[in-house]
Amino acid sequence: MIIKEINVNNYLTKSNLPASDYVINPYVGCPHGCKYCYASFMKRFTGHTEDWGTFVDIKKCDKQISLKRISKKNVFLSSVTDCYNPLEEKYKLTRNILEQLVASDCYLSISTKSKLILRDIDLLKQIKNLSVSMSINTLDEDFRKDMDNAGTIKERLDALKKLHNNGIYTVLFMSPIFPYITEWKEIIEKSKDFIDEYWFENLNLRGSYKTYILNYIKEKYANYYDKYVDIYIKNNRDYW
C-alpha cells in the first residue's frame, strides 16, 4: 500500500449526487479495493498510476468545516472512499470531522464497510440528523473475499445491530446486486430486526472492471455466465 499525506484547503466538496448537497472524502483512494468499485474512475484525477486499491492519500486540512455553509444541508461522508478504512485507526481524520459536525444541524449520511465506525459511537449518538449505511451484497464469505478486502459480513451486520441498539438510524445498502448470486431475500430476513431502511443498487458493469467481472463469473459461476452475457452484453433488462 502506497501511503502519503497531502494538504487540502477544505474537506467540503459541492456534490453532484442527487441526495447530497456536499460530500466529505477524508482520503483519496481506498484499500478495500472492491472489484466492482465505481469510484475507481477517481484515479485519473489523482495523478496515481498504481492500481485502484493499492494507494491512499491522507488528506490533512487545517481549516475548520463551515457549519453555516452546511446548515440544513445533506452531507455525505464519504462518496469515493471509505472514511473508516484501516488507516483511519491511526490518522483519525473521520473522528476529527465528526467532532466538528456534532454541533451542526446538517443531515449527515455515513457510508462504510468497517466495524471501526463503532469506535466513534460516542460522537455518533450526539449528531442530530444521522444515518449510517453499510454495503452488504452477499452472505457468502468466500464471494465477499473475492470481491473486497473490507470487513466480514458478520462484522458489518453486528455493527449495524449495535448502531441500531444505540438509537442510530441504520441503512443496509444492498450494493451492488449480482444477478442470481446476491441472496437478497435472505439478507433482508437476517437483518430486518435492526435495519431502518434498505437501499438497492444494480450491478452496473462499465469501464475497466466490466471485463474482469465477466471473466470472474465465467470462471467461478459458469452456470450463470450466459445469463450475465444476456444482461450485460445483450442488455436484456428482464432480470431487474
Side-chain angles (χ1 to χ4, degrees):
M1 186 65 58
I2 298 167
I3 301 167
K4 68 176 182 179
E5 297 183 12
I6 62 173
N7 294 313
V8 298
N9 295 324
N10 201 325
Y11 277 136
L12 285 178
T13 302
K14 198 78 176 70
S15 174
N16 293 320
L17 296 172
S20 303
D21 299 300
Y22 293 94
V23 295
I24 300 175
N25 290 290
Y27 301 90
V28 176
C30 182
H32 292 338
C34 301
K35 302 300 189 297
Y36 46 75
C37 184
Y38 69 89
S40 58
F41 80 90
M42 281 292 297
K43 192 176 80 166
R44 66 177 180 265
F45 302 114
T46 67
H48 284 275
T49 57
E50 306 86 6
D51 290 338
W52 183 257
T54 66
F55 66 87
V56 176
D57 294 344
I58 314 298
K59 294 166 70 172
K60 295 296 187 73
C61 182
D62 294 329
K63 181 179 180 180
Q64 292 288 298
I65 294 171
S66 170
L67 300 189
K68 182 178 180 181
R69 186 178 175 190
I70 61 174
S71 178
K72 304 296 185 183
K73 301 293 186 181
N74 293 308
V75 178
F76 184 32
L77 178 68
S78 36
S79 59
V80 290
T81 189
D82 190 321
C83 56
Y84 283 103
N85 73 75
L87 294 166
E88 168 64 19
E89 193 163 6
K90 173 182 177 181
Y91 289 97
K92 297 183 173 63
L93 300 186
T94 299
R95 183 167 180 87
N96 175 263
I97 289 165
L98 291 179
E99 287 170 344
Q100 298 179 56
L101 295 181
V102 162
S104 173
D105 62 352
C106 73
Y107 296 88
L108 179 64
S109 298
I110 300 175
S111 181
T112 183
K113 291 181 177 178
S114 173
K115 66 179 181 178
L116 182 57
I117 191 172
L118 298 177
R119 178 201 64 188
D120 295 336
I121 205 162
D122 59 321
L123 296 174
L124 299 175
K125 290 168 70 172
Q126 298 178 58
I127 296 174
K128 300 179 184 69
N129 307 300
L130 172 67
S131 67
V132 173
S133 67
M134 284 206 174
S135 299
I136 296 173
N137 70 345
T138 186
L139 297 175
D140 182 344
E141 192 59 25
D142 290 332
F143 177 67
R144 196 281 305 167
K145 288 177 183 176
D146 285 345
M147 288 294 118
D148 69 56
N149 301 316
T152 68
I153 300 305
K154 184 180 186 305
E155 287 173 345
R156 297 181 208 182
L157 289 169
D158 287 349
L160 284 166
K161 187 173 184 178
K162 186 166 184 179
L163 291 165
H164 177 81
N165 289 343
N166 276 272
I168 294 164
Y169 193 90
T170 54
V171 177
L172 192 153
F173 189 20
M174 207 177 296
S175 170
I177 295 173
F178 276 70
Y180 306 101
I181 296 174
T182 297
E183 322 92 313
W184 58 273
K185 290 181 182 179
E186 290 87 346
I187 293 170
I188 293 171
E189 188 63 31
K190 194 173 185 68
S191 62
K192 60 185 173 59
D193 291 339
F194 51 88
I195 297 299
D196 295 300
E197 185 173 340
Y198 289 91
W199 298 345
F200 304 90
E201 183 178 47
N202 300 1
L203 173 65
N204 186 358
L205 293 185
R206 58 181 183 268
S208 60
Y209 60 83
K210 180 174 183 176
T211 300
Y212 174 87
I213 294 294
L214 288 177
N215 286 340
Y216 171 83
I217 297 298
K218 190 174 186 178
E219 178 186 349
K220 295 290 186 73
Y221 294 88
N223 54 320
Y224 296 144
Y225 181 69
D226 287 345
K227 297 178 185 295
Y228 272 69
V229 168
D230 197 40
I231 295 169
Y232 292 106
I233 304 296
K234 299 179 181 179
N235 298 316
N236 186 337
R237 304 288 295 174
D238 288 349
Y239 175 84
W240 301 119

